[in-house]
Amino acid sequence: MAELPGQVTEHEGHGQDSTRNSCNAVDKLKDSVRLWFNQQNGQTLQGALAFVPFVLQKAYYEGQLQETDIVIHRGSGGVVFSDASGFTALTEKLAQKSNGAELLSQCLTSFFTPLIDLINAYRGDTIKFSGDALTIYFPSIDDTKCTAYNGIVPPHGSYGQPDLGPMATSVLRASACCIEIHKRLHEFETGVDGVRLCLHIGVGCGEITILQVGGVVPPETHVPRMEYLISGEPLEQISVAEPLAKNGQTCLSPQAWDLVKDCVIEGETLAERPEYHLLARMDESKYTFPTIKYATQLYDNRLNSMFKLEHLDVIRRYIPSAVFKQIECGTLQYVNEMRNISVIFINGSGLDVMSKEGPRKAQDLMSSVQRACYAHEGTLNKFLIDDKGMLFLLVFGLPPLVHPDDPTRAVLCAMEIVQVFRRLDLVGKFGVTTGRSYCGVCGSAKRMEYTVLGDCVNLSARLMANAQPLGILCDEETSKRTSGEISYKALAPIHVKGKANAISIFKPMLKESAEPVGLTVERKLQFPWYDRPMDGMDCSGGKEAVQQSKAKVMQLCSVNRWAGIVKVMEMLGGNFNKALHQQQQTIPTTAPRQKAPQGSPFGEGGIVVLEGDVGVGKVELAEHIVTHCATQFQMMPIFGTMGPRPGESSRMAVELLRSTVAVFRHLNAAIPTDDVQALVQVVPPQLAGCVPMLGELLGGQEVARDNTQIFETAIKVVISLLTMLKKQTPVLVVLQFEHGTSLFAKTTQEDQKIFWKMTSDLAHLVRKEKSIAGLILCRRAEEDNVAVIHAKEANSFLRLQGLTEDNIWEYMSNYLGVPEQAIPPELRRFVPQVTLGNALYIRETLDQLMRDGHLRIKPGTSVSLAAGSLDRIDIAAWNHTQMVGGTVCQLESLDPIEAAALKMSTCFEGAFTLPDLAASSCSQWGGATHFDLLRLYRATQKLMNLGFISMVDAPVTSPRGHSTVEHTEQPEEGPVGGTQYYQMQNVLVRTVGGAMVLEAQKKSVKRNALIDRVLKQDLPDRMTTLAKKKSVQHIPWYYEQAFRRAAVRSSLPP
């Protein structure tokens, strides 16, 4: 089946081959279907062309734009760097307004549209947008060899003037363009609080090279992402020239000046750099703006080498996937918004892309930065060379990659990229900031890019400039909003451009684990989640974390009717014992050992799998299982955890090694307390050669080997040690994999392969050794994994879901410390509705209600609610919680059509149909086709699969408040079956999604659905009546009168 625009299926083929296959598929379609596809894709092409410069399109037709090509263009010409001032002040002012994004978008469009029109008129090619700045290439082309050259109009356009040659002509065009830009746009009035925009411009010329680098596939798409950049001597020239120009001025490099000094009038002399020259105006006795533009456009043949419909797969390599999807759906205007983001600015040096090995090294650098960025689900927005050198701009928090912990992801990503620069022997400086910024398209309909603008972005660049080589500086907002994985050292405040007061800056450092996991030297149980947030949220660590974790276990596992604890206690025997969690347990070396129930995996060896989302109780159950087994069965715990951050197989290996060695130490006091020394002592002789490498790993040193090799070696040693341990004591191996806040499976794909390989090895060991048991915690189990199959066969696979309503009431009672009967009825109704039975969400909801003063607790006795209905609380404002923040991120990750369908669904309180949604997006009365309806149908099916909406029976009447049209209880039969009815029963999604829809939009959706229903009910009868009326021959009134008079006359006697 042909792919529908806006809902591209995943496939491996890219580039020309996939384009050819797509074209062949379309050729087999009927003419009407092919016409629809061509219309949709034609609109997509028109929007997408604005995101690629002409030089890329020319390179494609010259066969230099294959994915493996790095150097795609070598040429010469003039290069212009145009920087605007005033955008920061404009963004800051508009960021405070509710419609700030819309107003800023209008200002940007009104400014950049005439600017880019002028650039195109002089045959300039806008290569890059650097925020509010442009890098423009005026290629040196010999127009006398153009097929349109008539020998009459010279390339520069002035009769009687000698030909300047291609290079001088390109610089002349660049100079004329700059002068006219200042005439047209200097002191540009924005209409916002007196803010005006100005430009200062630098011009250089010479040999240039354009590279395309990257090619790594982002997590949200299947298309490799490429970046292009321009480099060469002109970039070095404009890095000096542009800062010398003040607002309203253009400065030429010495090389550019030598080519046009007889064509222009020089401005005032630059005392500090007299070899650089300011432009005053054109020498109009020789050259004028109209004649230069006329000749330029007369010989401009760029339209002959533009991308066509069959090149869409090539174009999308250079456009962010989220933007391309909006282009496909015709909703590009919706990408413009003000949002909170975290930004990394990186300044790199030490790489000469013009050298022989430069392009290859640039590709290595770019692909490595892409991998680090995409592993943390960020967006690489820019890679360019401008007046500041080699720059990267990475953004965390852009749709669809939005997370509650984006500041943490940004800092961790920066730390990882530092290692990339160190490996390549390059110098990098890093600035990380967090704040509200404009995120959207910048430019005009002819040339635009997706970018970010605002004070947060500028501050990131300032911190970058002040950072030490291979150093990272963060602002205060980032330091406050990152999780416990990172600690900060406050540095002396600094003064930066654009800020009146000194800025607080911080140096980030990875937080070292306070305690080893497993059995400590004091024989206490130390769980991984005591010191590390496994769900991507904050964790305080230390004694406070232990107490909080123990409290959560007691509160949740004391819910006697909870299916999770009931099943676990069947395997452990007896009832849940709170006393085990009153304090951190110390495991004695000699104690009476109880027996697990007959057939229990903890008595005869086996695998237990706990599957479920974050917050449903996996960790609480696991902590109770381990504590019970250690204290009652003398079953020693060994831990290995992965996630929620990428590439943590080494941490899992370290945890397995340390906790295994800790068991040996527990059994034999002579084992050294140093883990490396202990490993040397306990490892079997045949594996002694592995100890040096594992010793480096345990010592925190960087091991010069592949991570997979290190992990496999560690696992081999651990399994060998487990085989030795089982002769002395029963062992419980706990393996945990958490996705955290990651949204896309591709992000954790490699880590999951490693994790499930380890679980398979464990399952094989358990089958052979009856005194070893395994406990696996995961969000989604791998169905064909041998450990999962083994657990299902033994009836020890637990799929945890939300608590039932009765469970929730009892859990609320435990958490609040009051009798269950004291919980008000309204609170009993409200909490289950919004939390979906998730224990984490319940805690967050109760905490937030108490924090906001809606809930007052008298410990041990009563609960009281403040005046006012709980339904009026703005839950959507709780975006700092995992409940709301995670839901927002899920909604942001949807494709444009899916997001639109979900937002429209929130407008209906009761049941709705597909035509109800189509009435506002692709109404048949507005010329939409069945294919448009099919796209919407596929979007609703995706929402159903995600659990956002549900299919329901047909209502007796239409949804309350939307229509009074009667419906039968049985769906009406159509040509392809009955009408399907849907309803959004997920209150949390309804509340959060509804907050994303304006009241005017809600009214519009309801009104359109009502009109559509009425039309479909009344219009058929009216059309039938009209058809009958039209079938009767109509005789105008005056003809009837004439016929009657004629009849009368004919009846009279002669």
Side-chain angles (χ1 to χ4, degrees):
M1 178 181 175
E3 295 170 353
L4 296 179
Q7 293 186 324
V8 180
T9 57
E10 295 292 323
H11 55 79
E12 296 298 326
H14 308 303
Q16 295 179 355
D17 290 338
S18 62
T19 302
R20 191 182 303 113
N21 294 335
S22 178
C23 291
N24 291 338
V26 173
D27 289 340
K28 296 177 183 178
L29 299 174
K30 293 181 180 180
D31 290 343
S32 59
V33 178
R34 189 185 305 116
L35 176 63
W36 182 85
F37 273 102
N38 288 337
Q39 287 177 342
Q40 294 292 323
N41 290 329
Q43 294 171 5
T44 301
L45 176 66
Q46 290 304 312
L49 282 175
F51 286 84
V52 289
F54 289 110
V55 69
L56 258 68
Q57 303 177 59
K58 181 182 177 183
Y60 177 83
Y61 283 98
E62 293 174 350
Q64 297 178 331
L65 205 61
Q66 301 297 324
E67 288 186 27
T68 54
D69 293 329
I70 299 178
V71 178
I72 60 173
H73 176 79
R74 294 188 189 275
S76 60
V79 178
V80 171
F81 186 78
S82 169
D83 193 8
S85 60
F87 273 108
T88 301
L90 180 65
T91 306
E92 287 180 357
K93 290 181 180 295
L94 293 180
Q96 308 303 320
K97 299 186 178 182
S98 59
N99 61 339
E102 181 181 358
L103 294 174
L104 182 56
S105 176
Q106 293 172 358
C107 289
L108 291 172
T109 301
S110 61
F111 178 76
F112 279 105
T113 296
L115 175 60
I116 291 173
D117 284 344
L118 284 173
I119 293 168
N120 288 339
Y122 286 96
R123 208 186 298 175
D125 192 3
T126 305
I127 303 297
K128 278 286 184 182
F129 287 71
S130 310
D132 50 14
L134 303 179
T135 303
I136 309 152
Y137 173 42
F138 290 82
S140 172
I141 299 174
D142 190 352
D143 285 343
T144 61
K145 297 180 180 179
C146 173
T147 55
Y149 183 66
N150 53 20
I152 300 174
V153 181
H156 52 64
S158 294
Y159 294 98
Q161 295 294 330
D163 187 7
L164 300 174
M167 177 63 83
T169 301
S170 69
V171 178
L172 176 66
R173 291 169 179 164
S175 302
C177 179
C178 294
I179 295 172
E180 190 168 358
I181 285 172
H182 287 311
K183 287 178 176 291
R184 292 275 303 275
L185 297 174
H186 184 55
E187 294 291 333
F188 181 83
E189 178 59 62
T190 64
V192 178
D193 298 341
V195 176
R196 296 175 182 268
L197 304 179
C198 302
L199 291 166
H200 51 282
I201 304 174
V203 181
C205 68
E207 301 290 327
I208 64 101
T209 300
I210 294 181
L211 313 178
Q212 69 164 0
V213 289
V216 179
V217 180
E220 76 277 13
T221 183
H222 63 279
V223 180
R225 184 77 168 91
M226 308 295 292
E227 285 286 342
Y228 53 87
L229 70 153
I230 181 172
S231 62
E233 185 184 349
L235 276 298
E236 298 175 9
Q237 298 170 20
I238 60 176
S239 68
V240 178
E242 183 267 334
L244 293 174
K246 298 178 182 178
N247 284 337
Q249 294 181 339
T250 297
C251 181
L252 271 64
S253 70
Q255 295 85 343
W257 177 255
D258 287 341
L259 294 172
V260 296
K261 59 185 177 182
D262 296 328
C263 310
V264 298
I265 304 299
E266 184 179 8
E268 62 184 68
T269 303
L270 295 169
E272 64 273 28
R273 296 297 295 267
E275 69 274 23
Y276 284 78
H277 302 267
L278 294 177
L279 278 179
R281 62 182 188 277
M282 298 295 298
D283 185 350
E284 296 183 355
S285 64
K286 300 177 181 178
Y287 305 99
T288 64
F289 300 114
T291 55
I292 295 174
K293 281 193 289 189
Y294 175 76
T296 302
Q297 296 170 24
L298 182 64
Y299 304 132
D300 188 358
N301 60 0
R302 292 182 295 183
L303 295 180
N304 299 330
S305 57
M306 293 184 68
F307 283 133
K308 297 180 174 56
L309 199 59
E310 60 268 26
H311 302 139
L312 272 177
D313 279 350
V314 179
I315 300 174
R316 65 185 306 174
R317 298 182 207 156
Y318 306 95
I319 305 176
S321 63
V323 176
F324 189 85
K325 288 176 181 177
Q326 297 282 8
I327 296 172
E328 283 185 307
C329 299
T331 54
L332 186 60
Q333 67 273 21
Y334 297 134
V335 303
N336 302 325
E337 55 189 339
M338 295 287 184
R339 63 167 52 241
N340 290 317
I341 57 173
S342 292
V343 176
I344 307 175
F345 242 118
I346 307 172
N347 175 240
S349 59
L351 173 61
D352 181 8
V353 297
M354 298 296 288
S355 66
K356 183 178 180 180
E357 294 299 322
R360 183 62 56 187
K361 198 169 184 179
Q363 166 62 17
D364 190 0
L365 173 63
M366 179 61 181
S367 58
S368 298
V369 171
Q370 279 185 322
R371 289 189 189 95
C373 179
Y374 298 157
H376 293 277
E377 291 193 344
T379 302
L380 204 161
N381 186 258
K382 293 283 185 297
F383 176 36
L384 52 92
I385 296 177
D386 65 3
D387 60 316
K388 299 178 180 64
M390 182 171 61
L391 293 176
F392 291 88
L393 175 60
L394 286 69
V395 187
F396 289 77
L398 296 179
L401 303 172
V402 181
H403 315 85
D405 58 341
D406 276 318
T408 302
R409 289 173 176 268
V411 176
L412 292 174
C413 179
M415 291 178 173
E416 195 169 323
I417 297 175
V418 167
Q419 301 306 318
V420 171
F421 274 75
R422 182 174 284 116
R423 173 177 62 83
L424 295 174
D425 196 25
L426 300 174
V427 176
K429 298 181 178 182
F430 300 76
V432 184
T433 55
T434 299
R436 189 168 173 81
S437 302
Y438 170 80
C439 309
V441 291
C442 181
S444 73
K446 295 180 180 178
R447 184 71 177 93
M448 65 179 75
E449 279 190 9
Y450 185 81
T451 192
V452 290
L453 299 172
D455 180 61
C456 161
V457 182
N458 292 337
L459 180 58
S460 179
R462 306 286 184 254
L463 297 187
M464 170 194 72
N466 284 275
Q468 296 296 316
L470 297 179
I472 304 172
L473 291 182
C474 300
D475 68 336
E476 186 173 10
E477 186 68 14
T478 301
S479 70
K480 289 179 179 178
R481 295 182 57 187
T482 46
S483 67
E485 299 165 74
I486 302 168
S487 59
Y488 290 90
K489 178 182 178 182
L491 304 179
I494 60 173
H495 288 275
V496 299
K497 179 182 176 183
K499 296 289 184 181
N501 300 322
I503 300 297
S504 299
I505 58 173
F506 301 83
K507 178 183 177 181
M509 295 168 289
L510 276 177
K511 182 180 177 183
E512 295 296 329
S513 180
E515 294 282 350
V517 298
L519 289 168
T520 66
V521 176
E522 295 82 15
R523 306 183 189 279
K524 292 183 179 295
L525 280 177
Q526 183 76 18
F527 291 89
W529 43 84
Y530 284 175
D531 198 54
R532 186 177 182 85
M534 294 299 290
D535 56 0
M537 302 305 286
D538 199 2
C539 181
S540 56
K543 292 183 179 180
E544 183 181 351
V546 176
Q547 294 170 356
Q548 290 175 354
S549 183
K550 292 294 183 188
K552 287 191 289 186
V553 174
M554 290 188 288
Q555 292 158 358
L556 183 57
C557 294
S558 294
V559 179
N560 296 320
R561 291 165 288 179
W562 177 34
I565 193 63
V566 170
K567 180 63 178 177
V568 165
M569 294 315 301
E570 286 178 5
M571 292 184 282
L572 294 175
N575 297 317
F576 174 71
N577 184 5
K578 273 188 177 182
L580 294 177
H581 304 281
Q582 296 291 345
Q583 59 185 0
Q584 195 172 6
Q585 290 292 326
T586 301
I587 310 302
T589 54
T590 57
R593 181 181 300 173
Q594 299 181 12
K595 288 186 177 181
Q598 185 71 24
S600 169
F602 304 113
E604 301 177 5
I607 299 288
V608 178
V609 177
L610 303 180
E611 179 192 76
D613 293 328
V614 171
V616 295
K618 297 193 304 290
V619 170
E620 288 84 349
L621 285 178
E623 185 163 340
H624 176 61
I625 290 172
V626 173
T627 304
H628 187 102
C629 288
T631 56
Q632 308 303 312
F633 307 149
Q634 290 295 296
M635 183 174 274
M636 297 298 103
I638 292 173
F639 294 97
T641 62
M642 290 182 68
R645 305 306 175 195
E648 294 191 327
S649 59
S650 58
R651 190 188 87 226
M652 185 179 192
V654 168
E655 288 184 359
L656 286 167
L657 288 168
R658 290 190 186 279
S659 55
T660 303
V661 168
V663 176
F664 278 97
R665 188 183 296 116
H666 178 77
L667 299 174
N668 183 358
I671 300 293
T673 56
D674 180 80
D675 288 332
V676 179
Q677 295 176 14
L679 186 64
V680 172
Q681 188 167 329
V682 301
V683 76
Q686 66 269 24
L687 295 175
C690 304
V691 172
M693 179 178 69
L694 297 181
E696 293 177 7
L697 183 65
L698 291 174
Q701 303 175 35
E702 190 171 336
V703 184
R705 286 181 176 83
D706 181 64
N707 280 342
T708 305
Q709 179 187 356
I710 298 170
F711 185 78
E712 290 176 351
T713 303
I715 297 308
K716 186 191 304 181
V717 171
V718 169
I719 289 177
S720 176
L721 294 176
L722 287 174
T723 306
M724 296 167 57
L725 272 177
K726 59 98 178 179
K727 300 174 183 178
Q728 306 176 57
T729 181
V731 175
L732 175 60
V733 181
V734 182
L735 303 179
Q736 181 183 16
F737 186 92
E738 283 295 347
H739 295 71
T741 58
S742 295
L743 297 166
F744 294 92
K746 193 183 300 182
T747 306
T748 57
Q749 191 172 13
E750 291 303 317
D751 288 342
Q752 288 200 69
K753 286 181 181 177
I754 295 172
F755 177 82
W756 290 111
K757 172 65 167 58
M758 175 58 196
T759 60
S760 296
D761 294 342
L762 174 63
H764 291 306
L765 181 64
V766 167
R767 282 186 179 274
K768 292 190 297 183
E769 311 294 347
K770 295 300 183 182
S771 58
I772 299 178
L775 176 60
I776 300 170
L777 286 71
C778 60
R779 180 191 291 181
R780 295 291 178 268
E782 193 176 72
E783 295 295 330
D784 57 351
N785 185 273
V786 63
V788 177
I789 295 172
H790 182 60
K792 288 185 175 181
E793 290 174 350
N795 195 27
S796 56
F797 181 94
L798 280 75
R799 180 175 285 111
L800 299 176
Q801 297 177 334
L803 301 175
T804 64
E805 193 171 75
D806 290 343
N807 294 158
I808 294 173
W809 297 344
E810 187 176 354
Y811 182 53
M812 290 166 60
S813 169
N814 294 341
Y815 186 72
L816 296 175
V818 297
E820 187 176 332
Q821 299 77 10
I823 300 174
E826 188 175 2
L827 190 62
R828 289 173 178 246
R829 175 192 58 80
F830 176 77
V831 173
Q833 279 186 342
V834 300
T835 63
L836 310 178
N838 186 296
L840 171 62
Y841 296 176
I842 293 171
R843 295 194 298 271
E844 289 181 333
T845 299
L846 295 175
D847 289 342
Q848 193 65 40
L849 290 175
M850 289 188 284
R851 190 176 298 118
D852 294 343
H854 299 293
L855 192 63
R856 298 185 182 90
I857 308 298
K858 192 174 182 180
T861 56
S862 64
V863 179
S864 61
L865 293 174
S869 173
L870 293 177
D871 293 329
R872 297 177 184 174
I873 295 174
D874 183 15
I875 299 175
W878 300 353
N879 53 12
H880 57 282
T881 64
Q882 180 73 7
M883 179 178 75
V884 175
T887 304
V888 169
C889 298
Q890 267 193 303
L891 303 188
E892 293 274 21
S893 69
L894 297 173
D895 282 348
I897 295 179
E898 296 161 2
L902 181 132
K903 291 175 182 177
M904 288 189 291
S905 300
T906 64
C907 301
F908 300 97
E909 295 180 18
F912 59 89
T913 64
L914 193 66
D916 288 337
L917 302 182
S920 294
S921 59
C922 51
S923 172
Q924 67 181 85
W925 317 110
T929 67
H930 290 301
F931 283 102
D932 297 300
L933 197 62
L934 177 59
R935 291 201 298 174
L936 185 59
Y937 173 74
R938 292 179 64 179
T940 58
Q941 295 306 299
K942 174 71 174 296
L943 297 180
M944 281 184 58
N945 294 337
L946 292 172
F948 293 158
I949 62 175
S950 308
M951 189 179 295
V952 296
D953 295 331
V956 176
T957 58
S958 61
R960 177 172 57 85
H962 298 178
S963 171
T964 58
V965 182
E966 293 289 330
H967 288 277
T968 60
E969 293 197 15
Q970 296 298 321
E972 297 179 5
E973 290 293 330
V976 291
T979 301
Q980 293 179 343
Y981 288 86
Y982 306 93
Q983 187 171 3
M984 179 168 285
Q985 297 173 331
N986 188 319
V987 177
L988 178 60
V989 173
R990 172 187 292 279
T991 304
V992 176
M996 299 179 177
V997 186
L998 300 177
E999 285 301 320
Q1001 292 173 325
K1002 292 179 182 179
K1003 292 179 181 178
S1004 175
V1005 170
K1006 295 176 184 177
R1007 181 171 58 248
N1008 291 339
L1010 177 59
I1011 292 172
D1012 184 76
R1013 292 178 184 179
V1014 172
L1015 285 175
K1016 285 182 177 177
Q1017 176 175 298
D1018 298 345
L1019 193 59
D1021 292 340
R1022 293 188 181 187
M1023 293 301 291
T1024 300
T1025 303
L1026 181 62
K1028 289 180 179 179
K1029 185 176 180 180
K1030 286 184 175 180
S1031 65
V1032 179
Q1033 185 177 8
H1034 174 65
I1035 301 176
W1037 176 82
Y1038 49 86
Y1039 281 138
E1040 287 185 5
Q1041 298 302 315
F1043 287 152
R1044 288 174 181 169
R1045 287 194 296 270
V1048 171
R1049 284 197 299 268
S1050 63
S1051 63
L1052 295 176

